[in-house]
Amino acid sequence: MRWIMFVGVAIAALGGAAVTMIPASGQTDGEAAPIYGIKIPPGYRDWQLISVAREEGNFNDLRAQLGNDVAIRAYRDGTLPFPDGSIIVALHWNYVASEENNKAFGRSQSFVAGSPKNIQFMVKDSKKYAATGGWGFADFTDGKPADEAMHKTCFSCHEPIKARDFVFTRYAP
Amino acid sequence: MRWIMFVGVAIAALGGAAVTMIPASGQTDGEAAPIYGIKIPPGYRDWQLISVAREEGNFNDLRAQLGNDVAIRAYRDGTLPFPDGSIIVALHWNYVASEENNKAFGRSQSFVAGSPKNIQFMVKDSKKYAATGGWGFADFTDGKPADEAMHKTCFSCHEPIKARDFVFTRYAP
């Protein structure tokens, strides 16, 4: 009986700790992106950080790339190609000057993540997406997928980085 | 017997999922930062993302702020002041142009996280750090803490943002 209680508590404790990071095993009820049929995976915002980026020009944004457990493990172990089940998400935010930070630093130099722009997913399924390097692509703004024309541009843009399994982002230590 | 096996498997599965996100309950064996006595908390790189930033000027870097479970929950719930046990870490990387990305975009606009610079922690302990708003501060480069003079500057810089419990970074959705 004591054992059963201990086990119950252990499961509850581990379950509590794990809740926010259980990898997306299902999909949300939202609309699927065209071509690849990908929906927004639940809990993606809680995934671990791969790296960050800044795009100037027309994008003018700040970016973070997160990975689910399968993707993060592959990054850490240097596993290429990424195993099936890997999902990488890129979060894009508007590039906004921070007056609060600038005041603290005593000069205008600080920019932070503003309102969210689009989010983009790469989902590895070597059979389902065999024609596009094993990756499916999806782009959403405010929970709505971009159109088919936009999704047709994804793979051709990622093709040059075939040597790293079509993934541009490197892990930032 | 079946139950015991099931329970064992369940614990193993949850344990496996939870390993990378168990909050820092201890500290590493490294050197403690002066004044506040903070060591680098184990596993901090696996914590969840709060936001990202870009500093121009002398810093010239890209930044990400991560939080342990206590800090992330406070952000999500809008809890202020942050509860004891909250830890926020800021990761700073050199700002590096990405030729790979630029080639894909067809123009020079892309910058990514380069080699790591310093990492900075804020640790909430309202009793231990009562004199500095309940926060202890620590700065490390290559695992080595900065000197006492540097650590004396932390709180005065954070003081203006008292209305948000001395934390500049807002959660990026």
Side-chain angles (χ1 to χ4, degrees):
Chain A
M1 192 60 181
R2 267 198 202 156
W3 258 100
I4 291 172
M5 278 181 59
F6 167 78
V7 160
V9 168
I11 289 176
L14 285 165
V19 158
T20 49
M21 74 148 338
I22 284 173
S25 52
Q27 298 190 313
T28 55
D29 292 333
E31 202 181 331
I35 304 179
Y36 303 98
I38 294 166
K39 293 184 176 182
I40 295 175
Y44 72 86
R45 181 61 183 76
D46 298 333
W47 294 349
Q48 291 177 5
L49 178 71
I50 301 166
S51 190
V52 296
R54 151 87 172 128
E55 295 296 333
E56 296 181 351
N58 293 335
F59 286 126
N60 195 26
D61 55 31
L62 276 173
R63 301 176 165 208
Q65 296 86 23
L66 313 180
N68 70 354
D69 278 4
V70 183
I72 291 288
R73 199 168 299 129
Y75 265 113
R76 300 253 171 90
D77 298 345
T79 304
L80 282 180
F82 284 85
D84 281 2
S86 298
I87 311 181
I88 296 167
V89 58
L91 312 174
H92 304 165
W93 297 277
N94 284 299
Y95 192 66
V96 172
S98 169
E99 293 313 321
E100 289 169 343
N101 294 6
N102 287 339
K103 212 183 278 179
F105 286 129
R107 52 187 292 177
S108 283
Q109 63 171 45
S110 188
F111 299 86
V112 297
S115 55
K117 296 170 64 184
N118 56 333
I119 55 174
Q120 299 185 321
F121 294 91
M122 289 179 69
V123 176
K124 190 68 182 274
D125 185 329
S126 52
K127 279 178 193 150
K128 191 172 179 184
Y129 304 124
T132 48
W135 289 101
F137 298 85
D139 177 288
F140 298 88
T141 301
D142 287 335
K144 293 273 177 198
D147 64 13
E148 189 172 323
M150 189 279 180
H151 281 86
K152 277 185 178 163
T153 68
C154 299
F155 182 60
S156 59
C157 192
H158 281 261
E159 241 181 331
I161 205 77
K162 189 180 176 185
R164 286 211 306 276
D165 196 25
F166 309 100
V167 174
F168 284 99
T169 303
R170 297 169 184 270
Y171 188 85
Chain B
M1 192 61 180
R2 267 198 200 154
W3 258 100
I4 290 172
M5 278 181 61
F6 168 78
V7 160
V9 169
I11 289 177
L14 285 165
V19 159
T20 49
M21 76 151 333
I22 286 174
S25 52
Q27 296 189 315
T28 55
D29 292 331
E31 203 180 332
I35 302 179
Y36 303 99
I38 294 167
K39 292 183 178 184
I40 295 175
Y44 72 88
R45 182 59 184 77
D46 299 333
W47 294 350
Q48 290 176 6
L49 179 71
I50 301 165
S51 190
V52 295
R54 152 87 173 129
E55 296 296 333
E56 296 181 350
N58 293 336
F59 287 127
N60 194 26
D61 56 30
L62 277 172
R63 302 176 165 209
Q65 296 85 21
L66 312 180
N68 70 352
D69 279 3
V70 182
I72 292 288
R73 198 169 299 128
Y75 266 113
R76 300 254 170 87
D77 298 344
T79 304
L80 282 180
F82 285 85
D84 282 0
S86 298
I87 311 181
I88 295 168
V89 58
L91 312 174
H92 303 166
W93 297 278
N94 284 299
Y95 192 65
V96 172
S98 168
E99 293 313 321
E100 290 168 343
N101 295 6
N102 287 338
K103 214 184 276 182
F105 286 130
R107 53 186 291 177
S108 282
Q109 62 171 44
S110 188
F111 298 85
V112 296
S115 56
K117 294 171 63 184
N118 55 333
I119 55 174
Q120 299 185 322
F121 295 91
M122 289 180 70
V123 176
K124 190 68 182 271
D125 185 329
S126 52
K127 278 177 195 150
K128 190 172 179 183
Y129 304 124
T132 48
W135 291 101
F137 299 85
D139 178 287
F140 298 88
T141 301
D142 287 334
K144 292 275 174 195
D147 63 12
E148 189 173 324
M150 189 279 178
H151 281 86
K152 276 186 178 163
T153 67
C154 299
F155 182 61
S156 59
C157 191
H158 281 262
E159 239 180 332
I161 206 75
K162 188 180 177 183
R164 288 210 306 277
D165 196 26
F166 308 100
V167 175
F168 283 99
T169 302
R170 297 170 184 271
Y171 189 86

